[in-house]
């Protein structure tokens, strides 16, 4: 049921006198007050009123605070464990740098984000935004309220707040004995087959790194390996071998392969162990037909652990600190320990992620002022006291952390990449294993194309209790020209996504006949002569592609403001600006098959590309979901993806993925299709189907917390012939568990799926009534076993 429960009519206040309370006109006739958190910055005004009567004006220009809470609904308006839709209108009249209106749904008695169920940032100046927040309040918490918090110096008008009890959705149930759907369906085909060329036979015989001084007795083999590689490059030697053994590397320079053609590197089962302070471990750049095989990459944990398991032994009553020990260590090897982040462990799997699990961030980005070092003191060789450095951490310690709680500590995050691959073509990794490294295990970038990973593994070293492998993404693709094959791989226990494939974008607005001014754009996004496709701010096409001529402005990275000049006049804006796609790149033709992705932070696969086949894989205990298909841009961090299309997800097993129940407003999905606009995540979506032509078929979904798929900002999506089993209860079995969800979507076909009857799920389709169309739900059956 969707029930309109309250309208806020600002014009009803007699004489326009501001009494720091607004009259709430319930349909039942009951009236109730809303309260202001900070009446000094809120007033009623008729000037420019959005409704034609009076609007609420938020003005924090006189404030010296960063956050200025101005308005909140009264306690008791929102009930616990209830679905709501809130709509309101907002116009940002002025905002200085890093200033905006932050709308959240949060309990009035909670000071941090840990209980938030809705959020929206109004950042566009001069534009009337119709904001919609869709959420479900948490159980046993009846203090939720809509709160408006202007950040820094902001002037804004707010009007027409409406709260609806319900989801704003229609539900169509699966039934026993449903007649199969047999009508025509247009489906994605995925990636076409392609070939990766192996090295051509070389005239010269193989060389050995031992001939250049490499030794298992040496404390550092970087120079010996690089000398051997240089000899092969200069003399046309087509193969370099490593006598089997354990080799150590301590030089901050990488082992580097550059501009090599028709070359093979064979580790013959050797282990390569690093200990250094900066730089990547191995770099492969501008090579063609190159093969790497038969070796292991690791880090020296005896001297410098990448991560640790800690067990909480005590919590201060007020949450000011916690005491913890390293249960697997008699002495932690470093006294200058870095604590980047604490991540709650599932004791059943000893990996991150469990129901209602959470993380607590400290020195996530080393050297950045916004993530300062943790404050702690050693209590013994293997125990320490960790102090809460802000109110949010203090509340988390006091309310959620208990003695006996297990956490994974990451001591590194984005620090030293294992294997960097850039601008190569026809590259093969075969039987390469990464036990650990202090960043991404693999990083691919530039104009790289045609590369494959065969039986490539990222796993903890056998016989150890290490809680982490790579401290960031397992394989991060930051731009490419596509054609990637992964076959027979295993990626696990990493600090972020197993595979993250995307191209980068940027946002800019028109400032002259042939010029744009950037907003949060990497200055290296475009090179002179590059062709840039312009998209509107909702990703709809402009029909314009322009040749980039030059960039001016002081180089301050993404935070700098640059003027971009194009060869021809640029089009007029329909919205707030343009999203720019560099046509030099285009990640596409991705095949991932026969692989196992498990026990990692974040998602299994993050797909921002086209022409993809994901087939015959297993996904298990991926903390925040198995597959996320998305595209988006922000004004403060990353902007990634040119859209995603022609994707096939077939014959996979998804079991116990998204254990933390991430993306609760999108029903905790296994497969999540959506966009983010201006911030990540965002509740703002686009009706343009920038994600399209996607097929999800013949998969098995087992004991997952939410919907099997949530389809948003997408079109022509077919979900068919899947089997769904949820036979294990959760602490909280959501009403949508095992179903399918849609919003801001068109052409969604859900047919011939089978649900095994269970009291723990509600088989069917949830579709948002005002943003979806052309939905087919037929032939979907419930069976007893």
């Amino acid at each position: 049921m969707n029930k309109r429960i309250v309208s806020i009519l600002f014009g009803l206040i007699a004489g326009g006198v501001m009494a720091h309370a607004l009259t709430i006109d319930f349909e039942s006739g009951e009236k109730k007050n809303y309260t202001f958190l900070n009446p000094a910055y809120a007033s009623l005004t008729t000037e420019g009123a959005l409704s034609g009567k009076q609007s609420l004006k938020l003005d924090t220009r006189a404030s010296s605070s960063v956050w200025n809470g101005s308005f909140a609904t009264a306690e008791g308006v929102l009930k616990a464990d209830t679905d709501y839709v809130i709509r309101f209108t907002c116009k940002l009249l002025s905002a200085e740098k890093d200033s905006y209106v932050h709308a959240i749904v949060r309990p009035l008695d909670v000071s941090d984000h840990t209980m938030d169920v809705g959020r929206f940032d109004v950042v566009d100046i001069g534009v009337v935004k119709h904001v919609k927040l869709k959420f479900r309040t948490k159980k046993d918490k009846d203090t939720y309220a809509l709160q408006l918090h202007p950040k820094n110096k902001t002037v804004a008008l707010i009007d027409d707040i409406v709260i609806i009890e319900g989801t704003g959705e229609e539900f169509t149930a699966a039934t026993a004995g449903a007649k199969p759907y047999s009508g025509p369906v247009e489906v994605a085909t995925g990636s076409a087959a392609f070939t990766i060329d192996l090295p051509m036979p070389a005239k010269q015989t193989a060389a050995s790194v031992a001939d250049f001084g490499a030794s298992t007795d040496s404390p550092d083999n970087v120079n010996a390996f690089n000398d051997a590689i240089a000899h092969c490059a200069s003399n046309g030697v087509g193969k370099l071998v490593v006598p089997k053994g354990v080799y150590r590397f301590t030089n901050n320079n990488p082992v580097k392969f550059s501009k090599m053609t028709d070359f093979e590197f064979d580790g013959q089962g050797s282990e390569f162990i690093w200990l250094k302070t900066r730089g990547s471990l191995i770099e492969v750049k501008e090579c063609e037909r190159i093969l790497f095989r038969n070796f292991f990459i690791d880090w020296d944990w005896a001297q410098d652990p990448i991560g640790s398991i800690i067990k909480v032994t005590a919590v201060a009553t007020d949450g000011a600190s916690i005491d913890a020990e390293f249960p697997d260590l008699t002495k932690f090897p470093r006294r200058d320990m870095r604590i980047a982040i604490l991540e709650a462990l599932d004791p059943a799997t000893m990996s991150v992620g469990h129901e209602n699990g959470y993380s607590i961030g400290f020195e996530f980005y080393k050297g950045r002022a916004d993530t300062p070092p943790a404050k702690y003191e050693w209590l013994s060789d293997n125990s320490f006291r960790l102090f809460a450095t802000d109110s949010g951490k203090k509340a988390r310690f006091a309310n959620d952390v208990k003695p006996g709680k297990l956490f994974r500590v990451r001591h590194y995050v984005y620090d030293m990449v294992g294997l960097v691959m850039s601008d190569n073509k026809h590259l093969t990794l075969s039987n390469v294993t990464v036990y650990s490294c202090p960043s991404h295990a693999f990083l691919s970038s530039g104009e790289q194309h045609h590369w494959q990973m065969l039986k490539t593994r990222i796993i903890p070293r056998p016989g150890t209790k290490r809680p982490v492998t790579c401290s960031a993404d397992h394989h991060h693709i930051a731009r490419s020209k596509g054609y990637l094959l992964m076959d027979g791989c295993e990626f696990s226990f990493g600090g972020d996504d197993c595979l993250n494939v995307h191209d980068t974008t940027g946002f800019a607005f028109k400032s002259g006949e042939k010029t744009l001014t950037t907003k949060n754009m990497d200055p290296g996004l475009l090179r002179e002569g590059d062709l840039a496709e312009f998209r509107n701010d909702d990703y709809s096409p402009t029909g314009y592609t322009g040749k980039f001529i030059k960039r001016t402005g002081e180089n301050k990275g993404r935070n700098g403001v640059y003027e971009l000049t194009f060869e021809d006049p640029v089009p007029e804006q329909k919205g707030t600006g343009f999203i720019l796609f560099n046509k030099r790149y285009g990640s596409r033709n991705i095949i991932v098959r026969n692989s196992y992705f498990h026990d990692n932070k974040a998602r299994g696969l993050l797909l921002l590309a086209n022409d993809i086949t994901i087939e015959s894989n297993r996904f298990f205990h991926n903390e925040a979901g198995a597959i996320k298909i998305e595209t988006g841009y922000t004004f403060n961090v990353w902007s990634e993806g040119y859209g995603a299309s022609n994707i096939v997800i077939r014959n996979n097993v998804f079991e116990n993925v998204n254990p933390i129940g991430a993306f609760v407003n999108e029903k905790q999905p296994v497969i999540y299709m959506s966009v983010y606009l201006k911030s990540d995540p965002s509740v703002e979506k686009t009706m343009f189907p920038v994600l399209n032509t996607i097929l999800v078929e013949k998969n098995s979904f087992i004991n997952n917390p939410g919907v099997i798929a949530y389809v948003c900002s997408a079109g022509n999506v077919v979900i068919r012939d899947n089997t769904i089993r949820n036979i294990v209860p959760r602490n909280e079995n959501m009403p949508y568990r095992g179903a399918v969800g849609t919003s801001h979507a068109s052409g969604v076909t859900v047919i011939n799926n089978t649900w095994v009857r269970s009291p723990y799920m509600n088989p069917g389709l949830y579709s948002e009534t005002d943003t979806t169309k052309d939905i087919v739900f037929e032939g979907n059956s419930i069976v007893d076993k």
Side-chain angles (χ1 to χ4, degrees), residues 701-733:
F701 295 86
I702 304 169
N703 294 329
N704 300 299
V707 294
I708 65 169
Y710 192 83
V711 182
C712 180
S713 297
N716 187 25
V717 176
V718 177
I719 301 172
R720 69 181 183 187
D721 299 323
N722 300 286
T723 302
I724 302 95
R725 294 180 176 88
N726 284 318
I727 59 176
V728 176
R730 286 170 61 85
N731 294 331
E732 186 174 10
N733 293 295

mmCIF file of all heavy atoms in Angstrom, residues 701-733:
data_model
loop_
_atom_site.group_PDB
_atom_site.id
_atom_site.type_symbol
_atom_site.label_atom_id
_atom_site.label_comp_id
_atom_site.label_asym_id
_atom_site.label_seq_id
_atom_site.Cartn_x
_atom_site.Cartn_y
_atom_site.Cartn_z
ATOM 1 N N PHE A 701 20.980 -18.885 -7.936
ATOM 2 C CA PHE A 701 21.116 -17.924 -6.842
ATOM 3 C C PHE A 701 20.779 -18.631 -5.538
ATOM 4 O O PHE A 701 19.659 -19.140 -5.371
ATOM 5 C CB PHE A 701 20.170 -16.742 -7.048
ATOM 6 C CG PHE A 701 20.478 -15.910 -8.269
ATOM 7 C CD1 PHE A 701 19.965 -16.253 -9.521
ATOM 8 C CD2 PHE A 701 21.277 -14.782 -8.185
ATOM 9 C CE1 PHE A 701 20.235 -15.497 -10.645
ATOM 10 C CE2 PHE A 701 21.553 -14.011 -9.306
ATOM 11 C CZ PHE A 701 21.034 -14.374 -10.540
ATOM 12 N N ILE A 702 21.731 -18.679 -4.603
ATOM 13 C CA ILE A 702 21.588 -19.491 -3.398
ATOM 14 C C ILE A 702 21.863 -18.645 -2.154
ATOM 15 O O ILE A 702 22.957 -18.108 -1.990
ATOM 16 C CB ILE A 702 22.552 -20.694 -3.426
ATOM 17 C CG1 ILE A 702 22.349 -21.535 -4.698
ATOM 18 C CG2 ILE A 702 22.375 -21.561 -2.184
ATOM 19 C CD1 ILE A 702 23.428 -22.581 -4.913
ATOM 20 N N ASN A 703 20.857 -18.514 -1.302
ATOM 21 C CA ASN A 703 21.010 -17.916 0.027
ATOM 22 C C ASN A 703 21.657 -16.530 -0.001
ATOM 23 O O ASN A 703 22.638 -16.249 0.693
ATOM 24 C CB ASN A 703 21.819 -18.851 0.944
ATOM 25 C CG ASN A 703 21.080 -20.136 1.235
ATOM 26 O OD1 ASN A 703 19.854 -20.172 1.289
ATOM 27 N ND2 ASN A 703 21.817 -21.226 1.407
ATOM 28 N N ASN A 704 21.070 -15.664 -0.807
ATOM 29 C CA ASN A 704 21.509 -14.281 -0.872
ATOM 30 C C ASN A 704 20.497 -13.392 -0.145
ATOM 31 O O ASN A 704 19.337 -13.760 0.008
ATOM 32 C CB ASN A 704 21.661 -13.862 -2.334
ATOM 33 C CG ASN A 704 22.675 -14.725 -3.066
ATOM 34 O OD1 ASN A 704 23.833 -14.753 -2.707
ATOM 35 N ND2 ASN A 704 22.234 -15.463 -4.084
ATOM 36 N N PRO A 705 20.899 -12.198 0.308
ATOM 37 C CA PRO A 705 20.036 -11.439 1.218
ATOM 38 C C PRO A 705 18.898 -10.671 0.571
ATOM 39 O O PRO A 705 17.888 -10.404 1.226
ATOM 40 C CB PRO A 705 21.006 -10.467 1.881
ATOM 41 C CG PRO A 705 22.055 -10.251 0.852
ATOM 42 C CD PRO A 705 22.214 -11.584 0.162
ATOM 43 N N GLY A 706 19.054 -10.281 -0.703
ATOM 44 C CA GLY A 706 18.069 -9.405 -1.317
ATOM 45 C C GLY A 706 17.631 -9.897 -2.668
ATOM 46 O O GLY A 706 17.583 -11.101 -2.936
ATOM 47 N N VAL A 707 17.286 -8.955 -3.557
ATOM 48 C CA VAL A 707 16.833 -9.317 -4.894
ATOM 49 C C VAL A 707 17.973 -9.952 -5.683
ATOM 50 O O VAL A 707 19.156 -9.676 -5.433
ATOM 51 C CB VAL A 707 16.284 -8.088 -5.654
ATOM 52 C CG1 VAL A 707 15.012 -7.566 -4.996
ATOM 53 C CG2 VAL A 707 17.325 -6.981 -5.750
ATOM 54 N N ILE A 708 17.623 -10.786 -6.648
ATOM 55 C CA ILE A 708 18.674 -11.371 -7.479
ATOM 56 C C ILE A 708 19.231 -10.334 -8.434
ATOM 57 O O ILE A 708 20.401 -10.418 -8.833
ATOM 58 C CB ILE A 708 18.171 -12.613 -8.240
ATOM 59 C CG1 ILE A 708 17.075 -12.254 -9.251
ATOM 60 C CG2 ILE A 708 17.682 -13.677 -7.260
ATOM 61 C CD1 ILE A 708 16.728 -13.377 -10.217
ATOM 62 N N ALA A 709 18.403 -9.349 -8.805
ATOM 63 C CA ALA A 709 18.880 -8.271 -9.679
ATOM 64 C C ALA A 709 18.036 -7.033 -9.432
ATOM 65 O O ALA A 709 16.820 -7.133 -9.225
ATOM 66 C CB ALA A 709 18.805 -8.677 -11.142
ATOM 67 N N TYR A 710 18.696 -5.884 -9.454
ATOM 68 C CA TYR A 710 18.000 -4.603 -9.412
ATOM 69 C C TYR A 710 18.363 -3.859 -10.692
ATOM 70 O O TYR A 710 19.546 -3.638 -10.975
ATOM 71 C CB TYR A 710 18.396 -3.783 -8.194
ATOM 72 C CG TYR A 710 17.494 -2.595 -7.968
ATOM 73 C CD1 TYR A 710 16.282 -2.745 -7.293
ATOM 74 C CD2 TYR A 710 17.825 -1.336 -8.457
ATOM 75 C CE1 TYR A 710 15.435 -1.660 -7.093
ATOM 76 C CE2 TYR A 710 16.990 -0.247 -8.263
ATOM 77 C CZ TYR A 710 15.794 -0.415 -7.577
ATOM 78 O OH TYR A 710 14.946 0.654 -7.383
ATOM 79 N N VAL A 711 17.357 -3.492 -11.467
ATOM 80 C CA VAL A 711 17.548 -2.932 -12.803
ATOM 81 C C VAL A 711 17.137 -1.471 -12.779
ATOM 82 O O VAL A 711 15.959 -1.149 -12.562
ATOM 83 C CB VAL A 711 16.711 -3.706 -13.844
ATOM 84 C CG1 VAL A 711 16.960 -3.145 -15.238
ATOM 85 C CG2 VAL A 711 17.036 -5.200 -13.785
ATOM 86 N N CYS A 712 18.093 -0.560 -13.013
ATOM 87 C CA CYS A 712 17.842 0.873 -12.910
ATOM 88 C C CYS A 712 18.635 1.610 -13.989
ATOM 89 O O CYS A 712 19.772 1.239 -14.283
ATOM 90 C CB CYS A 712 18.242 1.356 -11.519
ATOM 91 S SG CYS A 712 17.982 3.110 -11.231
ATOM 92 N N SER A 713 18.042 2.669 -14.566
ATOM 93 C CA SER A 713 18.674 3.434 -15.651
ATOM 94 C C SER A 713 19.103 2.497 -16.775
ATOM 95 O O SER A 713 20.184 2.634 -17.344
ATOM 96 C CB SER A 713 19.859 4.248 -15.132
ATOM 97 O OG SER A 713 19.413 5.211 -14.198
ATOM 98 N N ALA A 714 18.238 1.537 -17.068
ATOM 99 C CA ALA A 714 18.576 0.482 -18.012
ATOM 100 C C ALA A 714 17.389 0.183 -18.926
ATOM 101 O O ALA A 714 16.240 0.479 -18.600
ATOM 102 C CB ALA A 714 18.990 -0.787 -17.261
ATOM 103 N N GLY A 715 17.704 -0.433 -20.067
ATOM 104 C CA GLY A 715 16.667 -0.835 -21.012
ATOM 105 C C GLY A 715 17.036 -2.132 -21.702
ATOM 106 O O GLY A 715 18.208 -2.491 -21.809
ATOM 107 N N ASN A 716 16.031 -2.837 -22.162
ATOM 108 C CA ASN A 716 16.193 -4.122 -22.839
ATOM 109 C C ASN A 716 17.027 -5.080 -21.993
ATOM 110 O O ASN A 716 18.113 -5.524 -22.371
ATOM 111 C CB ASN A 716 16.820 -3.954 -24.231
ATOM 112 C CG ASN A 716 16.831 -5.269 -25.010
ATOM 113 O OD1 ASN A 716 16.016 -6.156 -24.761
ATOM 114 N ND2 ASN A 716 17.764 -5.395 -25.949
ATOM 115 N N VAL A 717 16.498 -5.384 -20.816
ATOM 116 C CA VAL A 717 17.134 -6.324 -19.895
ATOM 117 C C VAL A 717 16.260 -7.568 -19.800
ATOM 118 O O VAL A 717 15.059 -7.471 -19.530
ATOM 119 C CB VAL A 717 17.325 -5.704 -18.498
ATOM 120 C CG1 VAL A 717 17.910 -6.729 -17.527
ATOM 121 C CG2 VAL A 717 18.229 -4.475 -18.589
ATOM 122 N N VAL A 718 16.854 -8.727 -20.028
ATOM 123 C CA VAL A 718 16.125 -9.999 -19.987
ATOM 124 C C VAL A 718 16.690 -10.854 -18.855
ATOM 125 O O VAL A 718 17.903 -11.092 -18.797
ATOM 126 C CB VAL A 718 16.230 -10.752 -21.324
ATOM 127 C CG1 VAL A 718 15.517 -12.108 -21.240
ATOM 128 C CG2 VAL A 718 15.638 -9.919 -22.457
ATOM 129 N N ILE A 719 15.806 -11.296 -17.971
ATOM 130 C CA ILE A 719 16.178 -12.163 -16.848
ATOM 131 C C ILE A 719 15.341 -13.429 -16.980
ATOM 132 O O ILE A 719 14.129 -13.398 -16.757
ATOM 133 C CB ILE A 719 15.927 -11.460 -15.499
ATOM 134 C CG1 ILE A 719 16.729 -10.160 -15.431
ATOM 135 C CG2 ILE A 719 16.270 -12.377 -14.330
ATOM 136 C CD1 ILE A 719 16.414 -9.291 -14.226
ATOM 137 N N ARG A 720 15.982 -14.541 -17.379
ATOM 138 C CA ARG A 720 15.180 -15.734 -17.700
ATOM 139 C C ARG A 720 15.900 -17.026 -17.290
ATOM 140 O O ARG A 720 17.127 -17.080 -17.205
ATOM 141 C CB ARG A 720 14.881 -15.777 -19.192
ATOM 142 C CG ARG A 720 16.086 -16.041 -20.089
ATOM 143 C CD ARG A 720 15.700 -16.038 -21.554
ATOM 144 N NE ARG A 720 16.856 -16.366 -22.403
ATOM 145 C CZ ARG A 720 16.856 -16.315 -23.732
ATOM 146 N NH1 ARG A 720 15.751 -15.923 -24.380
ATOM 147 N NH2 ARG A 720 17.933 -16.638 -24.427
ATOM 148 N N ASP A 721 15.072 -18.029 -17.003
ATOM 149 C CA ASP A 721 15.563 -19.403 -16.795
ATOM 150 C C ASP A 721 16.575 -19.499 -15.655
ATOM 151 O O ASP A 721 17.487 -20.337 -15.687
ATOM 152 C CB ASP A 721 16.179 -19.952 -18.092
ATOM 153 C CG ASP A 721 15.174 -20.010 -19.222
ATOM 154 O OD1 ASP A 721 14.001 -20.318 -18.959
ATOM 155 O OD2 ASP A 721 15.564 -19.726 -20.373
ATOM 156 N N ASN A 722 16.430 -18.674 -14.635
ATOM 157 C CA ASN A 722 17.286 -18.750 -13.458
ATOM 158 C C ASN A 722 16.582 -19.533 -12.350
ATOM 159 O O ASN A 722 15.352 -19.624 -12.316
ATOM 160 C CB ASN A 722 17.626 -17.346 -12.963
ATOM 161 C CG ASN A 722 18.353 -16.521 -14.005
ATOM 162 O OD1 ASN A 722 19.528 -16.737 -14.271
ATOM 163 N ND2 ASN A 722 17.639 -15.576 -14.624
ATOM 164 N N THR A 723 17.359 -20.073 -11.429
ATOM 165 C CA THR A 723 16.826 -20.801 -10.282
ATOM 166 C C THR A 723 17.244 -20.090 -9.009
ATOM 167 O O THR A 723 18.426 -19.753 -8.831
ATOM 168 C CB THR A 723 17.325 -22.252 -10.259
ATOM 169 O OG1 THR A 723 16.941 -22.900 -11.481
ATOM 170 C CG2 THR A 723 16.730 -23.012 -9.091
ATOM 171 N N ILE A 724 16.266 -19.889 -8.112
ATOM 172 C CA ILE A 724 16.523 -19.121 -6.894
ATOM 173 C C ILE A 724 16.169 -19.981 -5.687
ATOM 174 O O ILE A 724 15.033 -20.470 -5.573
ATOM 175 C CB ILE A 724 15.705 -17.810 -6.866
ATOM 176 C CG1 ILE A 724 16.044 -16.954 -8.101
ATOM 177 C CG2 ILE A 724 15.990 -17.035 -5.591
ATOM 178 C CD1 ILE A 724 15.109 -17.125 -9.275
ATOM 179 N N ARG A 725 17.134 -20.156 -4.778
ATOM 180 C CA ARG A 725 16.931 -20.918 -3.539
ATOM 181 C C ARG A 725 17.408 -20.087 -2.357
ATOM 182 O O ARG A 725 18.568 -19.675 -2.312
ATOM 183 C CB ARG A 725 17.728 -22.230 -3.562
ATOM 184 C CG ARG A 725 17.288 -23.238 -4.599
ATOM 185 C CD ARG A 725 18.165 -24.492 -4.509
ATOM 186 N NE ARG A 725 17.735 -25.541 -5.427
ATOM 187 C CZ ARG A 725 18.148 -25.648 -6.687
ATOM 188 N NH1 ARG A 725 19.003 -24.742 -7.165
ATOM 189 N NH2 ARG A 725 17.715 -26.617 -7.462
ATOM 190 N N ASN A 726 16.530 -19.845 -1.424
ATOM 191 C CA ASN A 726 16.909 -19.192 -0.170
ATOM 192 C C ASN A 726 16.362 -20.043 0.967
ATOM 193 O O ASN A 726 15.224 -19.884 1.412
ATOM 194 C CB ASN A 726 16.330 -17.769 -0.096
ATOM 195 C CG ASN A 726 17.094 -16.793 -0.958
ATOM 196 O OD1 ASN A 726 18.315 -16.823 -0.995
ATOM 197 N ND2 ASN A 726 16.381 -15.924 -1.663
ATOM 198 N N ILE A 727 17.159 -20.992 1.433
ATOM 199 C CA ILE A 727 16.706 -21.945 2.433
ATOM 200 C C ILE A 727 17.318 -21.680 3.800
ATOM 201 O O ILE A 727 16.971 -22.341 4.772
ATOM 202 C CB ILE A 727 17.016 -23.396 1.987
ATOM 203 C CG1 ILE A 727 18.521 -23.582 1.773
ATOM 204 C CG2 ILE A 727 16.248 -23.744 0.721
ATOM 205 C CD1 ILE A 727 18.921 -25.014 1.431
ATOM 206 N N VAL A 728 18.238 -20.717 3.877
ATOM 207 C CA VAL A 728 18.878 -20.361 5.141
ATOM 208 C C VAL A 728 18.349 -18.998 5.576
ATOM 209 O O VAL A 728 18.439 -18.023 4.830
ATOM 210 C CB VAL A 728 20.408 -20.329 5.004
ATOM 211 C CG1 VAL A 728 21.054 -19.850 6.299
ATOM 212 C CG2 VAL A 728 20.942 -21.700 4.615
ATOM 213 N N PRO A 729 17.791 -18.893 6.792
ATOM 214 C CA PRO A 729 17.258 -17.604 7.226
ATOM 215 C C PRO A 729 18.371 -16.629 7.576
ATOM 216 O O PRO A 729 19.489 -17.016 7.913
ATOM 217 C CB PRO A 729 16.444 -17.969 8.467
ATOM 218 C CG PRO A 729 17.126 -19.196 9.012
ATOM 219 C CD PRO A 729 17.604 -19.950 7.803
ATOM 220 N N ARG A 730 18.069 -15.343 7.490
ATOM 221 C CA ARG A 730 18.923 -14.286 7.999
ATOM 222 C C ARG A 730 18.296 -13.718 9.260
ATOM 223 O O ARG A 730 17.132 -14.006 9.567
ATOM 224 C CB ARG A 730 19.104 -13.182 6.941
ATOM 225 C CG ARG A 730 20.034 -13.590 5.808
ATOM 226 C CD ARG A 730 20.017 -12.593 4.660
ATOM 227 N NE ARG A 730 20.443 -11.251 5.019
ATOM 228 C CZ ARG A 730 21.713 -10.831 5.049
ATOM 229 N NH1 ARG A 730 22.696 -11.680 4.782
ATOM 230 N NH2 ARG A 730 22.002 -9.577 5.358
ATOM 231 N N ASN A 731 19.045 -12.923 9.981
ATOM 232 C CA ASN A 731 18.462 -12.276 11.148
ATOM 233 C C ASN A 731 17.265 -11.431 10.753
ATOM 234 O O ASN A 731 16.291 -11.330 11.498
ATOM 235 C CB ASN A 731 19.510 -11.396 11.838
ATOM 236 C CG ASN A 731 20.637 -12.220 12.435
ATOM 237 O OD1 ASN A 731 20.439 -13.367 12.827
ATOM 238 N ND2 ASN A 731 21.828 -11.638 12.502
ATOM 239 N N GLU A 732 17.359 -10.834 9.572
ATOM 240 C CA GLU A 732 16.260 -10.037 9.048
ATOM 241 C C GLU A 732 15.996 -10.474 7.610
ATOM 242 O O GLU A 732 16.799 -10.196 6.717
ATOM 243 C CB GLU A 732 16.599 -8.543 9.100
ATOM 244 C CG GLU A 732 15.450 -7.640 8.711
ATOM 245 C CD GLU A 732 15.758 -6.169 8.901
ATOM 246 O OE1 GLU A 732 16.935 -5.837 9.152
ATOM 247 O OE2 GLU A 732 14.834 -5.350 8.794
ATOM 248 N N ASN A 733 14.903 -11.188 7.401
ATOM 249 C CA ASN A 733 14.530 -11.619 6.055
ATOM 250 C C ASN A 733 13.653 -10.540 5.432
ATOM 251 O O ASN A 733 12.490 -10.381 5.785
ATOM 252 C CB ASN A 733 13.776 -12.951 6.118
ATOM 253 C CG ASN A 733 14.662 -14.085 6.588
ATOM 254 O OD1 ASN A 733 15.615 -14.469 5.927
ATOM 255 N ND2 ASN A 733 14.361 -14.625 7.765
#
